[in-house]
Amino acid sequence: MLETIVSWFVGVIGGGLQWVLNQVYSRLELSLDAFYGNFRPLATAYNILQACAIGLILAIAAWNLLKFFGGSLTKVQDTPIAILIRSMVATMLVFMGGYIVSMVVDIASVPYRSIMRIDPIRFGSESMPDFTNIVGVTNATGAALGADVTLFISLIIILMIAWNLLKLIVEIIERYLMVGVLAYTAPIFYPFLCSSSTVEIFKKWVAMFIGQCALMSVSVLFTTLVLACFSPSGEGDVLLRLIFGLAMCKVAQRADTYM
């Protein structure tokens, strides 16, 4: 009786997670074109940011030149030639940087799509796990604790995994949005390349953008590993694999902190 109840609960949870994952993965295409398709006002905003960036480049360049010719009253590390070269590079990035950013996202999408195609269960023709197979698996833990206790503990852990997996999906969506926002707000960060005193801001933006692109693949990989713990054909103790899956959810949610 208990096994039947647990099987029903697990089937409901599994069906819900399967539907959510199918819906999310079918829409989160790591491409700036796909991102723009969902947020049309970005085109106008991008042009406005380009205009603001040109004004900021002129302001930073003029201020640094003024400081250079201010004599001993001011301290500046850049020479007029260096300021001119930096300003030219920043101006080129304002108008051409979009192609570079798009290329970086396209490169990051290669492992992202490859990992998404992995079948974590490798059972039958389904790409998502059949959660109901778990409750019928006997193992060393079940023999030691008893079937009823093992099923009850497994149900609790599965519910915790389901909740944490939903939170992880929200994290993946947030990281996906961050990639798009950082890409489309890039023009406002290019002017900081004009001065050696502000170049660190530009470097931090580059690190954040590349990091978010990498996190998309890492997040999907963690999701795949979590789902793999539900494989009925997996080796080892089923209850232990479920505990590993729950711990993997926690690690995945903190991936950006670890990186």
Side-chain angles (χ1 to χ4, degrees), residues 109-250:
S109 68
V110 175
Y112 174 78
R113 293 169 182 167
S114 299
I115 295 173
M116 284 180 62
R117 287 194 292 265
I118 296 176
D119 181 3
I121 305 302
R122 300 189 182 280
F123 182 76
S125 59
E126 297 293 331
S127 59
M128 292 296 170
D130 182 4
F131 290 75
T132 58
N133 285 317
I134 297 175
V135 297
V137 179
T138 58
N139 48 65
T141 304
L145 298 178
D148 293 347
V149 176
T150 302
L151 291 176
F152 182 72
I153 296 176
S154 298
L155 176 59
I156 294 176
I157 296 177
I158 290 171
L159 289 172
M160 295 175 66
I161 291 176
W163 171 245
N164 282 276
L165 194 58
L166 290 176
K167 292 197 295 184
L168 178 57
I169 291 172
V170 175
E171 291 270 356
I172 295 175
I173 296 173
E174 290 178 358
R175 292 165 185 171
Y176 174 80
L177 293 176
M178 278 298 299
V179 171
V181 170
L182 289 173
Y184 277 95
T185 57
I188 206 65
F189 292 96
Y190 297 144
F192 296 110
L193 195 60
C194 296
S195 173
S196 58
S197 60
T198 58
V199 71
E200 288 300 321
I201 299 176
F202 175 76
K203 290 180 179 179
K204 289 180 179 179
W205 171 83
V206 172
M208 185 181 299
F209 175 67
I210 295 177
Q212 290 298 324
C213 289
L215 272 174
M216 289 302 299
S217 297
V218 173
S219 298
V220 177
L221 175 60
F222 277 127
T223 306
T224 302
L225 294 176
V226 172
L227 294 178
C229 74
F230 291 104
S231 174
S233 59
E235 297 293 334
D237 193 304
V238 174
L239 185 57
L240 182 61
R241 284 195 284 121
L242 290 176
I243 295 174
F244 283 160
L246 179 59
M248 190 66 69
C249 288
K250 298 294 186 179

